[in-house]
Amino acid sequence: MDEIEEVEGSDTSSSRFPSQEVPPPIILKGTGEVTIFGLCCKYDNEFPHQLSGRLAPEEFSKMINRINSALKRSMASQLRWLVAGFALCVCSAGCSFLPVVCLSKRTRLRIQKLIDYENHRLYHKLGLRWDLVTLQIEDSPMFEYVIKIEYLPKIHLTYPD
């Protein structure tokens, strides 16, 4: 009877399944001069030291350059539509901003699709996951879109599901 109580009292689940320490995610904020509806026109391709040993600096730079090129293609037209929206705002009761909102949403979806493709192709195999997420600006009700790089916990094949 005493042996049963000792076994029930001990926490064997923590010894069989050790918790994995996952480093905190890396947040890449926009560094460009123009931000339209929270989406910045450029991200810095400086390699974060937290990714050393997990990802080659060339691969990181190539991914950021792909995102920056997608932003560069769309930001020029968004800026033109935004200026036109400001010019026609009084006449259209604000409806002139609708093309800018649609272009911004299309740009975000395009970048998210690019990130999802690269996650599936490469980054999930390396134990990383990239994502485009919203982050509230400090002391402000406004938000911005940032790139978040999360570490995925390693799956031990010897542990049961």
Side-chain angles (χ1 to χ4, degrees):
M1 185 81 164
D2 292 330
E3 293 176 15
I4 295 174
E5 290 176 7
E6 288 177 15
V7 171
E8 289 176 359
S10 66
D11 187 17
T12 58
S13 63
S14 64
S15 63
R16 288 190 341 195
F17 305 113
S19 64
Q20 296 177 351
E21 292 295 320
V22 179
I26 300 167
I27 303 292
L28 303 175
K29 294 186 176 185
T31 58
E33 300 84 24
V34 179
T35 301
I36 300 175
F37 293 114
L39 191 60
C40 192
C41 68
K42 183 181 177 187
Y43 289 94
D44 191 16
N45 61 356
E46 182 180 335
F47 186 71
H49 65 87
Q50 297 96 335
L51 290 176
S52 296
R54 288 243 185 183
L55 183 65
E58 297 83 20
E59 188 63 40
F60 176 82
S61 178
K62 191 182 343 178
M63 179 65 174
I64 294 295
N65 287 337
R66 285 181 190 157
I67 292 171
N68 285 340
S69 67
L71 286 169
K72 186 178 180 181
R73 281 192 306 255
S74 67
M75 280 295 174
S77 64
Q78 285 186 30
L79 194 56
R80 283 191 296 259
W81 279 103
L82 187 64
V83 169
F86 276 127
L88 300 172
C89 181
V90 176
C91 300
S92 67
C95 292
S96 58
F97 290 114
L98 191 60
V100 182
V101 172
C102 293
L103 285 172
S104 179
K105 183 176 180 179
R106 187 173 73 177
T107 303
R108 280 187 283 122
L109 291 176
R110 182 180 295 147
I111 291 171
Q112 189 62 48
K113 187 175 179 179
L114 170 69
I115 289 173
D116 289 343
Y117 172 75
E118 290 297 324
N119 277 337
H120 181 70
R121 185 185 71 88
L122 176 67
Y123 294 116
H124 283 173
K125 295 173 189 171
L126 297 175
L128 299 171
R129 180 175 62 214
W130 291 51
D131 203 8
L132 185 68
V133 297
T134 58
L135 181 70
Q136 187 169 358
I137 299 173
E138 297 174 359
D139 301 328
S140 174
M142 299 174 65
F143 65 92
E144 65 179 333
Y145 287 95
V146 296
I147 297 174
K148 183 167 95 171
I149 304 172
E150 292 180 309
Y151 294 95
L152 299 176
K154 292 183 180 179
I155 300 171
H156 295 284
L157 298 176
T158 57
Y159 296 144
D161 291 340

